[in-house]
Amino acid sequence: MPSCRIHFVRNTNSFRPQIQRVALLTLLTLLATACATPTPQPQAPPLTEPYRVGASDQLFISVLPDPAIEREVTVRPDGMISVDLAGDVRAAGLTPEEIALEVEKKIARFKRDAKATVSVRSALSSQITVLGAVQMRMTFPLERDTRVVQAIGRAGGPTYLAAQSRTRIIRNVGNTTKVYHVNLSAITQGDLSTNYLLQGGDIVVVP
């Protein structure tokens, strides 16, 4: 009796739809992962230095250990402040941390292991000026961290004629003047890369 051999031939074409489906599912998974990952918003560089105290600034000074000394003082026109046990201490031109060290040095002979803390209650020596195409041109003291948008908002915002993308900050740095360009239009669209932190003496100009 003749033998019969049955040959099984694999139809490779039947696997192509499966491969295509797997590739499509992989692509969809990658796209979903990318969409689910939030895009980080650019943050404005600070463009700032440690705050240096000036005349008329109001400071709060605390000295430990007990009995604690707590005083609110105003920097005099000569740049000095008066602190219990320490007497006159230079303040103008120094950072709050540097003033605290000066207080500790002067009070050490009366108060062992003295630890002083100095904070700025009101920075009346530093002012910001907003000019140009804003609702109210104004100058105001820099009492807290303030960015460009906040300063312009305080001035009532830009007028309808303002060239918002050409806003700029004019700043004195030592003996030189620097100009920082601000794109106010981009900021309102979520790009915070030019929403700079202001310093005392800055002039914000909205053309």
Side-chain angles (χ1 to χ4, degrees):
M1 182 176 178
S3 60
C4 295
R5 295 183 179 179
I6 301 175
H7 297 278
F8 294 93
V9 179
R10 178 177 294 176
N11 186 358
T12 57
N13 290 333
S14 64
F15 288 92
R16 289 179 181 175
Q18 296 180 12
I19 296 174
Q20 291 174 351
R21 284 196 296 271
V22 171
L24 180 59
L25 288 173
T26 302
L27 178 60
L28 291 174
T29 302
L30 291 173
L31 289 174
T33 302
C35 293
T37 303
T39 302
Q41 292 295 328
Q43 296 296 320
L47 285 180
T48 188
E49 297 176 355
Y51 180 76
R52 295 192 176 275
V53 171
S56 300
D57 283 354
Q58 296 177 356
L59 310 176
F60 180 78
I61 299 176
S62 174
V63 183
L64 295 174
D66 290 332
I69 298 174
E70 293 185 344
R71 293 290 182 271
E72 187 167 314
V73 298
T74 300
V75 182
R76 304 195 303 260
D78 62 358
M80 307 293 284
I81 57 174
S82 295
V83 182
D84 297 15
L85 301 182
D88 285 347
V89 178
R90 186 168 67 94
L94 302 181
T95 66
E97 292 76 14
E98 290 170 342
I99 297 172
L101 290 176
E102 290 294 322
V103 172
E104 290 174 2
K105 289 178 183 177
K106 287 204 167 189
I107 212 170
R109 56 180 177 174
F110 302 107
K111 201 174 184 67
R112 188 174 181 179
D113 299 326
K115 180 65 177 176
T117 303
V118 178
S119 58
V120 180
R121 283 287 177 88
S122 182
L124 299 179
S125 66
S126 298
Q127 293 185 324
I128 300 296
T129 300
V130 184
L131 300 174
V134 291
Q135 301 295 336
M136 298 176 292
R137 299 176 184 180
M138 64 186 307
T139 298
F140 60 89
L142 185 64
E143 299 176 339
R144 60 183 63 85
D145 285 351
T146 301
R147 294 190 178 272
V148 179
V149 168
Q150 294 170 310
I152 295 174
R154 186 164 178 171
T159 67
Y160 72 96
L161 294 175
Q164 299 187 31
S165 62
R166 294 192 289 114
T167 301
R168 59 188 182 272
I169 302 169
I170 301 173
R171 174 177 298 170
N172 286 324
V173 180
N175 296 323
T176 63
T177 300
K178 292 188 176 182
V179 177
Y180 301 97
H181 294 280
V182 177
N183 190 336
L184 191 59
S185 298
I187 293 174
T188 58
Q189 297 298 319
D191 180 359
L192 304 179
S193 59
T194 60
N195 190 23
Y196 297 123
L197 192 65
L198 298 176
Q199 292 184 18
D202 282 352
I203 301 173
V204 179
V205 181
V206 184

